[in-house]
Amino acid sequence: MDTQETAGRLETLANVTRLEIFQHLCSAGKSGLTVGIIKDKVDVPASTLSHHIGKLVAGGLVEQKRNGRRLICTAKQDQIDELVLHLANEYCGEDSSIWG
């Protein structure tokens, strides 16, 4: 992962609403959440929710799949794991407290 990709992913998460959406999706695990359930959990208008989910998808942190009429969003946990590991390795160094 290069610096530009790292900054892009961090920028995607650097918004209270997107971070809250991402937190709910991570908690839901591989089953994900429908947009309707996300809307119930995050108090924003539908158009605003759509905008933020779109940013998370474009940032590579969330994927969407159709299941009939329902749109299911899932956190791409591997992408956030890669980001955290990259930050720890590249920016914190071997002596980082993140390694215990």
Side-chain angles (χ1 to χ4, degrees):
M1 174 180 304
D2 64 19
T3 303
Q4 187 166 349
E5 187 176 2
T6 302
R9 287 185 187 174
L10 290 172
E11 180 181 9
T12 298
L13 291 172
N15 175 279
V16 172
T17 302
R18 287 194 291 274
L19 195 56
E20 185 177 359
I21 292 166
F22 193 73
Q23 177 187 16
H24 289 299
L25 292 175
C26 286
S27 295
K30 293 182 181 188
S31 60
L33 297 171
T34 64
V35 172
I37 291 173
I38 296 169
K39 180 154 179 13
D40 290 343
K41 292 180 176 287
V42 181
D43 187 28
V44 294
S47 61
T48 302
L49 179 64
S50 178
H51 165 77
H52 287 300
I53 290 173
K55 290 275 191 179
L56 288 163
V57 170
L61 298 173
V62 168
E63 65 181 354
Q64 293 180 310
K65 292 183 181 175
R66 282 237 173 251
N67 184 356
R69 293 179 14 155
R70 298 182 318 156
L71 188 58
I72 302 189
C73 299
T74 310
K76 293 174 77 175
Q77 189 64 45
D78 59 327
Q79 297 300 312
I80 201 67
D81 291 346
E82 180 184 355
L83 175 61
V84 169
L85 187 59
H86 177 74
L87 289 170
N89 288 335
E90 296 297 320
Y91 297 93
C92 298
E94 291 181 21
D95 295 330
S96 172
S97 61
I98 196 169
W99 301 115

Coordinates of all heavy atoms in Angstrom, one line a residue:
M1 N 0.9 -1.2 0.0 CA 0.0 0.0 0.0 C 0.9 1.2 0.0 O 1.8 1.3 0.8 CB -0.9 -0.1 1.3 CG -1.7 1.2 1.4 SD -2.8 1.1 2.9 CE -3.7 -0.4 2.7
D2 N 0.6 2.2 -0.9 CA 1.5 3.4 -1.0 C 0.8 4.5 -0.1 O -0.3 4.3 0.4 CB 1.7 3.8 -2.4 CG 0.4 4.2 -3.1 OD1 -0.6 4.5 -2.5 OD2 0.4 4.3 -4.4
T3 N 1.5 5.6 0.0 CA 1.1 6.7 0.9 C -0.2 7.3 0.4 O -1.1 7.6 1.2 CB 2.2 7.8 0.9 OG1 3.4 7.1 1.4 CG2 1.8 8.9 1.8
Q4 N -0.4 7.4 -0.9 CA -1.6 8.0 -1.4 C -2.8 7.1 -1.1 O -3.9 7.6 -0.7 CB -1.5 8.2 -2.9 CG -2.7 8.9 -3.5 CD -2.4 9.4 -4.9 OE1 -1.3 9.4 -5.4 NE2 -3.5 9.9 -5.6
E5 N -2.7 5.8 -1.2 CA -3.8 4.9 -0.9 C -4.1 4.9 0.6 O -5.2 4.9 1.0 CB -3.4 3.5 -1.4 CG -4.6 2.5 -1.2 CD -4.2 1.1 -1.7 OE1 -3.1 0.9 -2.2 OE2 -5.1 0.2 -1.7
T6 N -3.0 5.0 1.4 CA -3.2 5.1 2.8 C -4.0 6.3 3.2 O -5.0 6.3 3.9 CB -1.8 5.1 3.5 OG1 -1.1 3.9 3.2 CG2 -2.0 5.2 5.1
A7 N -3.6 7.4 2.6 CA -4.2 8.7 2.9 C -5.7 8.7 2.4 O -6.6 9.2 3.1 CB -3.5 9.9 2.3
G8 N -5.9 8.1 1.3 CA -7.3 8.0 0.8 C -8.2 7.2 1.7 O -9.4 7.6 1.9
R9 N -7.7 6.1 2.2 CA -8.6 5.3 3.1 C -8.8 6.0 4.4 O -9.9 6.0 5.0 CB -7.9 3.9 3.4 CG -8.0 3.0 2.2 CD -7.5 1.6 2.5 NE -7.4 0.8 1.3 CZ -6.9 -0.4 1.2 NH1 -6.3 -0.9 2.3 NH2 -6.9 -1.0 0.1
L10 N -7.8 6.7 4.9 CA -8.0 7.4 6.1 C -8.9 8.6 5.9 O -9.8 8.9 6.8 CB -6.6 8.0 6.7 CG -5.7 6.9 7.2 CD1 -4.3 7.5 7.5 CD2 -6.2 6.2 8.4
E11 N -8.8 9.2 4.8 CA -9.7 10.3 4.4 C -11.2 9.8 4.4 O -12.1 10.5 4.8 CB -9.3 11.0 3.1 CG -10.2 12.1 2.7 CD -9.8 12.7 1.4 OE1 -9.0 12.2 0.7 OE2 -10.4 13.8 1.0
T12 N -11.4 8.6 3.8 CA -12.7 8.1 3.7 C -13.3 7.9 5.1 O -14.5 8.1 5.3 CB -12.6 6.7 3.0 OG1 -12.1 6.9 1.7 CG2 -14.0 6.0 2.9
L13 N -12.5 7.5 6.1 CA -13.0 7.2 7.4 C -13.0 8.5 8.3 O -13.6 8.5 9.4 CB -12.1 6.2 8.1 CG -12.3 4.8 7.6 CD1 -11.3 3.8 8.2 CD2 -13.7 4.2 7.8
A14 N -12.4 9.6 7.8 CA -12.3 10.8 8.6 C -13.6 11.6 8.6 O -13.5 12.8 8.3 CB -11.1 11.6 8.1
N15 N -14.7 11.0 8.8 CA -16.0 11.7 8.9 C -16.8 10.9 9.9 O -16.8 9.7 9.9 CB -16.6 11.6 7.5 CG -18.0 12.2 7.5 OD1 -19.0 11.5 7.9 ND2 -18.2 13.4 7.1
V16 N -17.4 11.6 10.8 CA -18.1 11.0 11.9 C -19.2 10.0 11.4 O -19.3 8.9 11.9 CB -18.8 12.1 12.9 CG1 -19.7 11.4 13.9 CG2 -17.7 12.9 13.5
T17 N -20.0 10.4 10.4 CA -21.1 9.6 9.9 C -20.5 8.3 9.2 O -21.0 7.2 9.5 CB -21.9 10.4 8.9 OG1 -22.5 11.5 9.6 CG2 -23.1 9.5 8.4
R18 N -19.5 8.5 8.4 CA -18.9 7.3 7.7 C -18.3 6.4 8.7 O -18.4 5.2 8.6 CB -17.9 7.8 6.7 CG -18.6 8.3 5.4 CD -17.6 8.5 4.3 NE -16.6 9.5 4.4 CZ -16.8 10.7 4.1 NH1 -17.9 11.2 3.7 NH2 -15.7 11.6 4.3
L19 N -17.6 6.9 9.7 CA -17.0 6.1 10.8 C -18.1 5.3 11.5 O -17.9 4.1 11.8 CB -16.1 6.9 11.7 CG -15.2 6.2 12.6 CD1 -14.2 5.4 11.8 CD2 -14.4 7.2 13.4
E20 N -19.2 5.9 11.8 CA -20.3 5.3 12.5 C -20.9 4.2 11.6 O -21.1 3.1 12.1 CB -21.3 6.3 12.9 CG -22.4 5.7 13.7 CD -23.5 6.7 14.2 OE1 -23.3 7.9 13.8 OE2 -24.4 6.3 14.8
I21 N -21.1 4.5 10.4 CA -21.6 3.4 9.4 C -20.6 2.3 9.4 O -21.0 1.1 9.5 CB -21.8 4.0 8.0 CG1 -22.9 5.1 8.0 CG2 -22.0 2.9 7.0 CD1 -23.0 5.9 6.8
F22 N -19.3 2.6 9.2 CA -18.3 1.5 9.1 C -18.3 0.7 10.4 O -18.2 -0.6 10.4 CB -17.0 2.1 8.8 CG -15.9 1.1 8.4 CD1 -16.0 0.5 7.2 CD2 -14.9 0.7 9.3 CE1 -15.1 -0.5 6.8 CE2 -14.0 -0.2 8.9 CZ -14.1 -0.8 7.7
Q23 N -18.4 1.3 11.6 CA -18.5 0.6 12.8 C -19.6 -0.4 12.9 O -19.4 -1.6 13.3 CB -18.6 1.6 14.0 CG -18.7 0.9 15.4 CD -18.9 1.9 16.5 OE1 -19.3 3.0 16.2 NE2 -18.7 1.5 17.7
H24 N -20.8 0.0 12.5 CA -22.0 -0.9 12.5 C -21.7 -2.0 11.5 O -22.1 -3.2 11.8 CB -23.2 -0.1 12.1 CG -23.7 0.8 13.2 ND1 -24.1 0.4 14.4 CD2 -23.9 2.2 13.2 CE1 -24.5 1.4 15.2 NE2 -24.4 2.5 14.4
L25 N -21.1 -1.7 10.3 CA -20.9 -2.8 9.4 C -19.9 -3.8 9.9 O -20.0 -5.0 9.7 CB -20.5 -2.2 8.0 CG -21.6 -1.4 7.3 CD1 -21.0 -0.8 6.0 CD2 -22.8 -2.3 6.9
C26 N -18.8 -3.3 10.5 CA -17.8 -4.2 11.1 C -18.5 -5.1 12.2 O -18.2 -6.3 12.2 CB -16.7 -3.4 11.6 SG -15.6 -2.8 10.4
S27 N -19.3 -4.5 13.0 CA -20.0 -5.3 14.0 C -20.9 -6.3 13.4 O -21.1 -7.4 14.0 CB -20.8 -4.3 14.9 OG -19.9 -3.5 15.6
A28 N -21.5 -6.1 12.3 CA -22.4 -7.0 11.7 C -21.7 -8.2 11.1 O -22.3 -9.2 10.8 CB -23.2 -6.3 10.6
G29 N -20.4 -8.0 10.8 CA -19.7 -9.2 10.2 C -20.0 -9.4 8.8 O -20.4 -8.5 8.1
K30 N -19.8 -10.7 8.4 CA -19.9 -11.0 7.0 C -21.3 -11.0 6.4 O -21.6 -10.9 5.2 CB -19.3 -12.4 6.7 CG -17.9 -12.5 6.9 CD -17.3 -13.9 6.7 CE -15.8 -13.9 6.9 NZ -15.2 -15.1 6.5
S31 N -22.3 -11.0 7.3 CA -23.7 -10.9 6.9 C -24.1 -9.5 6.4 O -25.0 -9.3 5.7 CB -24.6 -11.4 8.0 OG -24.5 -10.6 9.1
G32 N -23.4 -8.5 6.9 CA -23.6 -7.1 6.5 C -24.9 -6.6 7.0 O -25.6 -7.3 7.9
L33 N -25.3 -5.5 6.5 CA -26.6 -4.8 6.9 C -27.3 -4.2 5.7 O -26.6 -3.8 4.8 CB -26.3 -3.7 7.9 CG -25.7 -4.0 9.3 CD1 -25.4 -2.7 10.0 CD2 -26.7 -4.9 10.1
T34 N -28.6 -4.3 5.7 CA -29.3 -3.6 4.6 C -29.2 -2.1 4.8 O -28.9 -1.6 6.0 CB -30.8 -4.0 4.6 OG1 -31.4 -3.5 5.8 CG2 -31.0 -5.5 4.4
V35 N -29.4 -1.3 3.8 CA -29.3 0.1 3.9 C -30.4 0.6 4.8 O -30.2 1.5 5.6 CB -29.5 0.8 2.5 CG1 -29.6 2.3 2.6 CG2 -28.3 0.4 1.6
G36 N -31.6 -0.1 4.9 CA -32.6 0.3 5.8 C -32.2 0.2 7.2 O -32.5 1.0 8.1
I37 N -31.5 -0.9 7.6 CA -31.1 -1.1 8.9 C -30.0 -0.1 9.3 O -30.0 0.5 10.4 CB -30.6 -2.6 9.1 CG1 -31.7 -3.5 9.1 CG2 -29.8 -2.7 10.5 CD1 -31.3 -5.0 9.1
I38 N -29.1 0.2 8.3 CA -28.1 1.2 8.6 C -28.8 2.6 8.9 O -28.4 3.3 9.8 CB -27.1 1.4 7.4 CG1 -26.3 0.1 7.2 CG2 -26.2 2.5 7.6 CD1 -25.5 0.0 5.9
K39 N -29.8 2.9 8.1 CA -30.5 4.1 8.3 C -31.1 4.2 9.7 O -31.1 5.2 10.3 CB -31.6 4.3 7.2 CG -32.4 5.6 7.4 CD -33.0 6.1 6.2 CE -33.8 7.4 6.3 NZ -33.7 8.2 7.5
D40 N -31.7 3.1 10.2 CA -32.2 3.0 11.5 C -31.2 3.3 12.6 O -31.5 3.8 13.6 CB -32.9 1.7 11.8 CG -34.2 1.5 11.0 OD1 -34.7 2.5 10.5 OD2 -34.6 0.4 10.8
K41 N -30.0 2.8 12.3 CA -28.9 3.0 13.3 C -28.2 4.3 13.3 O -27.6 4.8 14.3 CB -27.8 1.8 13.1 CG -28.4 0.5 13.4 CD -27.3 -0.6 13.1 CE -27.8 -2.0 13.5 NZ -27.8 -2.2 15.0
V42 N -28.2 4.9 12.1 CA -27.5 6.2 11.9 C -28.5 7.3 11.6 O -29.2 7.2 10.6 CB -26.4 6.1 10.8 CG1 -25.7 7.4 10.6 CG2 -25.5 5.0 11.0
D43 N -28.6 8.3 12.4 CA -29.7 9.3 12.2 C -29.3 10.4 11.2 O -28.9 11.4 11.6 CB -30.0 9.9 13.6 CG -31.2 10.8 13.6 OD1 -32.1 10.6 12.8 OD2 -31.2 11.8 14.4
V44 N -29.4 10.0 9.9 CA -29.2 11.0 8.8 C -30.3 10.7 7.8 O -30.8 9.7 7.6 CB -27.8 10.8 8.2 CG1 -26.7 11.2 9.2 CG2 -27.6 9.4 7.6
P45 N -30.6 11.8 7.0 CA -31.5 11.6 5.9 C -31.0 10.6 4.9 O -29.8 10.3 4.7 CB -31.6 13.0 5.2 CG -31.0 13.9 6.3 CD -30.1 13.1 7.1
A46 N -31.9 10.0 4.1 CA -31.6 8.9 3.2 C -30.6 9.4 2.1 O -29.6 8.6 1.8 CB -32.9 8.4 2.5
S47 N -30.7 10.6 1.6 CA -29.7 11.1 0.6 C -28.3 11.2 1.2 O -27.3 10.9 0.5 CB -30.2 12.4 0.0 OG -30.3 13.4 1.0
T48 N -28.3 11.7 2.5 CA -27.0 11.8 3.1 C -26.4 10.4 3.4 O -25.2 10.2 3.1 CB -27.1 12.6 4.5 OG1 -27.7 13.8 4.2 CG2 -25.8 12.7 5.2
L49 N -27.2 9.5 3.8 CA -26.7 8.1 4.0 C -26.2 7.5 2.7 O -25.1 6.9 2.7 CB -27.8 7.2 4.5 CG -27.5 5.8 4.8 CD1 -26.4 5.7 5.9 CD2 -28.7 5.0 5.2
S50 N -26.9 7.7 1.6 CA -26.5 7.2 0.3 C -25.1 7.8 -0.1 O -24.2 7.1 -0.6 CB -27.5 7.6 -0.7 OG -27.1 7.2 -2.0
H51 N -24.9 9.1 0.2 CA -23.7 9.8 -0.1 C -22.5 9.2 0.6 O -21.5 8.8 0.1 CB -23.8 11.3 0.2 CG -22.5 12.0 0.3 ND1 -21.8 12.4 -0.8 CD2 -21.8 12.4 1.4 CE1 -20.7 13.0 -0.4 NE2 -20.6 13.0 0.9
H52 N -22.7 8.9 1.9 CA -21.7 8.4 2.8 C -21.3 6.9 2.5 O -20.2 6.6 2.4 CB -22.0 8.6 4.3 CG -21.9 10.0 4.7 ND1 -20.7 10.7 4.7 CD2 -22.8 10.8 5.3 CE1 -20.9 11.9 5.1 NE2 -22.2 12.0 5.5
I53 N -22.4 6.2 2.2 CA -22.1 4.8 1.8 C -21.4 4.8 0.5 O -20.4 4.0 0.3 CB -23.4 4.0 1.7 CG1 -24.0 3.8 3.1 CG2 -23.2 2.6 1.0 CD1 -25.4 3.1 3.2
G54 N -21.7 5.6 -0.5 CA -21.0 5.8 -1.7 C -19.6 6.1 -1.6 O -18.7 5.5 -2.3
K55 N -19.2 6.9 -0.6 CA -17.8 7.3 -0.3 C -17.1 6.1 0.2 O -15.9 5.8 -0.1 CB -17.8 8.4 0.7 CG -18.2 9.8 0.2 CD -17.0 10.4 -0.6 CE -17.4 11.9 -0.8 NZ -16.3 12.6 -1.5
L56 N -17.7 5.3 1.1 CA -17.1 4.1 1.7 C -16.9 3.0 0.6 O -15.8 2.4 0.6 CB -18.0 3.5 2.8 CG -18.0 4.4 4.1 CD1 -19.1 4.0 5.0 CD2 -16.6 4.2 4.8
V57 N -17.8 2.9 -0.3 CA -17.7 2.0 -1.4 C -16.5 2.4 -2.3 O -15.6 1.6 -2.7 CB -19.0 1.8 -2.2 CG1 -18.8 1.0 -3.5 CG2 -20.0 1.1 -1.3
A58 N -16.5 3.7 -2.7 CA -15.5 4.2 -3.6 C -14.1 4.2 -2.9 O -13.1 4.0 -3.6 CB -15.8 5.7 -4.0
G59 N -14.1 4.3 -1.6 CA -12.8 4.2 -0.9 C -12.3 2.7 -0.7 O -11.3 2.5 -0.1
G60 N -13.1 1.8 -1.2 CA -12.7 0.4 -1.1 C -12.9 -0.3 0.3 O -12.4 -1.3 0.5
L61 N -13.7 0.4 1.1 CA -13.8 -0.2 2.5 C -15.2 -0.9 2.7 O -15.3 -1.6 3.7 CB -13.7 1.0 3.5 CG -12.3 1.6 3.5 CD1 -12.3 2.8 4.5 CD2 -11.2 0.6 3.9
V62 N -16.1 -0.7 1.8 CA -17.4 -1.3 1.9 C -17.8 -1.9 0.5 O -17.5 -1.3 -0.5 CB -18.5 -0.3 2.4 CG1 -19.9 -0.8 2.2 CG2 -18.2 0.1 3.8
E63 N -18.5 -3.0 0.5 CA -19.0 -3.5 -0.8 C -20.6 -3.6 -0.6 O -21.1 -3.8 0.5 CB -18.4 -4.8 -1.2 CG -18.6 -6.0 -0.3 CD -17.9 -7.2 -0.8 OE1 -17.4 -7.2 -1.9 OE2 -18.0 -8.2 -0.1
Q64 N -21.2 -3.5 -1.7 CA -22.7 -3.6 -1.8 C -23.1 -4.8 -2.7 O -22.5 -4.9 -3.8 CB -23.3 -2.3 -2.3 CG -23.2 -1.2 -1.3 CD -23.8 0.1 -1.9 OE1 -23.6 0.4 -3.0 NE2 -24.6 0.7 -1.1
K65 N -24.1 -5.5 -2.3 CA -24.7 -6.6 -3.1 C -26.2 -6.5 -3.0 O -26.7 -6.2 -2.0 CB -24.2 -8.0 -2.6 CG -22.7 -8.2 -2.8 CD -22.3 -9.6 -2.3 CE -20.8 -9.7 -2.5 NZ -20.3 -11.0 -2.0
R66 N -26.8 -6.8 -4.1 CA -28.3 -6.9 -4.2 C -28.7 -8.3 -3.8 O -28.1 -9.3 -4.2 CB -28.8 -6.6 -5.6 CG -28.8 -5.1 -5.9 CD -30.2 -4.7 -6.3 NE -30.2 -3.2 -6.4 CZ -30.7 -2.4 -5.5 NH1 -31.4 -2.9 -4.5 NH2 -30.7 -1.1 -5.7
N67 N -29.8 -8.3 -3.0 CA -30.4 -9.6 -2.6 C -31.9 -9.3 -2.8 O -32.6 -8.8 -1.9 CB -30.1 -10.0 -1.2 CG -30.7 -11.3 -0.8 OD1 -31.4 -11.9 -1.6 ND2 -30.4 -11.8 0.4
G68 N -32.4 -9.6 -4.0 CA -33.8 -9.2 -4.4 C -33.9 -7.7 -4.4 O -33.1 -7.0 -5.1
R69 N -34.8 -7.1 -3.6 CA -34.9 -5.7 -3.6 C -34.1 -5.0 -2.5 O -34.0 -3.8 -2.5 CB -36.4 -5.3 -3.3 CG -37.3 -5.7 -4.4 CD -38.7 -5.4 -4.2 NE -38.9 -4.5 -3.0 CZ -40.0 -3.8 -2.8 NH1 -40.9 -3.8 -3.7 NH2 -40.1 -3.0 -1.8
R70 N -33.4 -5.8 -1.7 CA -32.6 -5.3 -0.6 C -31.2 -5.1 -1.1 O -30.6 -5.9 -1.8 CB -32.6 -6.2 0.6 CG -34.0 -6.4 1.1 CD -34.0 -7.3 2.3 NE -33.2 -8.5 2.2 CZ -32.7 -9.1 3.3 NH1 -33.0 -8.8 4.5 NH2 -32.0 -10.2 3.1
L71 N -30.6 -4.0 -0.7 CA -29.2 -3.7 -0.9 C -28.4 -3.9 0.4 O -28.7 -3.3 1.4 CB -29.0 -2.2 -1.4 CG -27.7 -1.8 -1.8 CD1 -27.2 -2.7 -3.0 CD2 -27.7 -0.3 -2.3
I72 N -27.5 -4.9 0.4 CA -26.8 -5.3 1.6 C -25.3 -4.7 1.5 O -24.6 -4.9 0.5 CB -26.7 -6.8 1.7 CG1 -28.2 -7.3 1.8 CG2 -25.9 -7.2 3.0 CD1 -28.4 -8.7 2.1
C73 N -24.9 -4.0 2.5 CA -23.6 -3.5 2.6 C -22.8 -4.3 3.6 O -23.3 -4.7 4.7 CB -23.7 -2.0 3.2 SG -24.6 -0.9 2.1
T74 N -21.5 -4.5 3.2 CA -20.6 -5.3 4.1 C -19.3 -4.6 4.2 O -18.8 -4.1 3.1 CB -20.4 -6.7 3.4 OG1 -21.6 -7.3 3.1 CG2 -19.6 -7.6 4.4
A75 N -18.7 -4.5 5.4 CA -17.4 -3.9 5.5 C -16.4 -4.9 4.9 O -16.4 -6.1 5.1 CB -17.1 -3.7 7.0
K76 N -15.4 -4.3 4.2 CA -14.3 -5.1 3.7 C -13.2 -5.2 4.7 O -12.3 -4.4 4.7 CB -13.8 -4.5 2.4 CG -14.9 -4.6 1.3 CD -14.5 -3.9 0.0 CE -13.5 -4.8 -0.8 NZ -13.2 -4.2 -2.1
Q77 N -13.4 -6.1 5.7 CA -12.5 -6.2 6.9 C -11.1 -6.4 6.5 O -10.2 -5.8 7.1 CB -13.0 -7.3 7.8 CG -12.3 -7.4 9.1 CD -12.5 -6.1 10.0 OE1 -13.7 -5.7 10.1 NE2 -11.5 -5.6 10.5
D78 N -10.8 -7.1 5.4 CA -9.4 -7.3 5.0 C -8.8 -6.0 4.6 O -7.6 -5.8 4.8 CB -9.4 -8.3 3.8 CG -10.1 -7.8 2.6 OD1 -11.2 -7.2 2.7 OD2 -9.7 -8.1 1.4
Q79 N -9.5 -5.0 4.1 CA -9.0 -3.7 3.7 C -8.6 -2.9 4.9 O -7.6 -2.2 5.0 CB -10.0 -3.0 2.8 CG -10.2 -3.6 1.5 CD -9.0 -3.8 0.7 OE1 -8.2 -2.9 0.5 NE2 -8.8 -5.0 0.2
I80 N -9.4 -3.0 6.0 CA -9.1 -2.2 7.2 C -8.0 -2.9 7.9 O -7.1 -2.2 8.5 CB -10.4 -2.0 8.1 CG1 -10.1 -0.8 9.1 CG2 -10.7 -3.2 8.9 CD1 -10.0 0.5 8.4
D81 N -7.9 -4.2 7.9 CA -6.8 -4.9 8.5 C -5.5 -4.6 7.8 O -4.5 -4.3 8.5 CB -7.0 -6.5 8.4 CG -8.1 -7.0 9.3 OD1 -8.6 -6.2 10.2 OD2 -8.6 -8.1 9.1
E82 N -5.5 -4.5 6.5 CA -4.3 -4.1 5.7 C -3.9 -2.7 6.1 O -2.7 -2.4 6.3 CB -4.6 -4.2 4.2 CG -3.5 -3.8 3.4 CD -3.8 -3.9 1.9 OE1 -4.9 -4.2 1.5 OE2 -2.9 -3.4 1.1
L83 N -4.9 -1.8 6.2 CA -4.6 -0.4 6.6 C -3.9 -0.3 8.0 O -2.9 0.4 8.1 CB -5.9 0.5 6.5 CG -5.7 1.9 7.0 CD1 -4.8 2.7 6.1 CD2 -7.1 2.6 7.0
V84 N -4.5 -1.0 8.9 CA -4.0 -0.9 10.3 C -2.6 -1.5 10.3 O -1.7 -0.9 11.0 CB -4.9 -1.6 11.3 CG1 -4.3 -1.8 12.6 CG2 -6.2 -0.9 11.4
L85 N -2.4 -2.6 9.7 CA -1.0 -3.2 9.7 C 0.0 -2.3 9.0 O 1.1 -2.2 9.4 CB -1.1 -4.6 9.0 CG 0.1 -5.4 9.0 CD1 0.6 -5.7 10.4 CD2 -0.1 -6.7 8.2
H86 N -0.4 -1.7 7.9 CA 0.4 -0.8 7.2 C 0.8 0.4 8.0 O 2.0 0.8 8.1 CB -0.2 -0.3 5.9 CG 0.6 0.7 5.1 ND1 1.7 0.3 4.4 CD2 0.4 2.0 5.0 CE1 2.2 1.4 3.8 NE2 1.5 2.4 4.2
L87 N -0.2 1.0 8.7 CA 0.1 2.1 9.6 C 1.1 1.7 10.7 O 2.1 2.4 11.0 CB -1.2 2.6 10.2 CG -2.1 3.4 9.3 CD1 -3.4 3.6 10.0 CD2 -1.5 4.7 8.8
A88 N 0.9 0.5 11.3 CA 1.8 0.1 12.3 C 3.2 -0.2 11.8 O 4.1 0.3 12.5 CB 1.2 -1.2 13.0
N89 N 3.3 -0.8 10.7 CA 4.6 -1.1 10.1 C 5.4 0.1 9.6 O 6.6 0.3 9.8 CB 4.5 -2.1 9.0 CG 4.2 -3.5 9.5 OD1 4.5 -3.8 10.7 ND2 3.6 -4.3 8.7
E90 N 4.7 1.0 8.9 CA 5.3 2.1 8.2 C 5.4 3.4 9.0 O 6.3 4.2 8.8 CB 4.6 2.4 6.9 CG 4.6 1.3 5.9 CD 6.0 1.0 5.4 OE1 6.8 1.9 5.2 OE2 6.3 -0.2 5.2
Y91 N 4.5 3.6 10.0 CA 4.5 4.8 10.7 C 4.8 4.7 12.2 O 5.2 5.7 12.8 CB 3.1 5.5 10.5 CG 2.9 5.8 9.0 CD1 2.2 5.0 8.2 CD2 3.4 7.0 8.5 CE1 2.0 5.3 6.9 CE2 3.2 7.3 7.2 CZ 2.5 6.5 6.3 OH 2.3 6.8 5.0
C92 N 4.7 3.5 12.7 CA 4.9 3.3 14.1 C 6.3 2.7 14.4 O 6.8 2.8 15.5 CB 3.8 2.5 14.8 SG 2.2 3.3 14.6
G93 N 6.7 1.9 13.5 CA 8.0 1.2 13.7 C 7.9 0.0 14.5 O 6.9 -0.3 15.1
E94 N 9.0 -0.7 14.6 CA 9.1 -2.0 15.3 C 8.9 -1.8 16.8 O 8.5 -2.7 17.5 CB 10.4 -2.7 15.0 CG 10.5 -3.2 13.6 CD 11.8 -3.9 13.3 OE1 12.4 -4.4 14.3 OE2 12.2 -4.0 12.2
D95 N 9.3 -0.7 17.3 CA 9.2 -0.5 18.8 C 7.8 0.0 19.2 O 7.7 0.4 20.4 CB 10.3 0.6 19.2 CG 11.7 0.0 19.0 OD1 11.9 -1.2 19.0 OD2 12.6 0.8 18.7
S96 N 6.9 0.0 18.3 CA 5.6 0.5 18.6 C 4.9 -0.3 19.7 O 5.0 -1.5 19.8 CB 4.7 0.5 17.4 OG 3.4 0.8 17.7
S97 N 4.1 0.4 20.5 CA 3.4 -0.3 21.6 C 2.2 -1.1 21.0 O 1.7 -1.9 21.7 CB 2.8 0.7 22.6 OG 2.0 1.6 22.0
I98 N 1.9 -0.9 19.7 CA 0.8 -1.7 19.1 C 1.2 -3.2 19.1 O 0.3 -4.0 19.0 CB 0.5 -1.1 17.7 CG1 -0.8 -1.7 17.2 CG2 1.6 -1.5 16.7 CD1 -1.3 -1.0 16.0
W99 N 2.5 -3.5 19.1 CA 2.9 -4.9 19.1 C 2.9 -5.5 20.4 O 3.2 -6.7 20.6 CB 4.3 -5.0 18.4 CG 4.3 -4.5 17.0 CD1 4.9 -3.4 16.6 CD2 3.5 -4.9 15.9 NE1 4.6 -3.2 15.2 CE2 3.8 -4.1 14.8 CE3 2.6 -6.0 15.7 CZ2 3.2 -4.3 13.6 CZ3 2.0 -6.2 14.5 CH2 2.3 -5.3 13.4
G100 N 2.6 -4.8 21.5 CA 2.5 -5.4 22.8 C 3.8 -5.4 23.5 O 4.6 -5.4 24.1

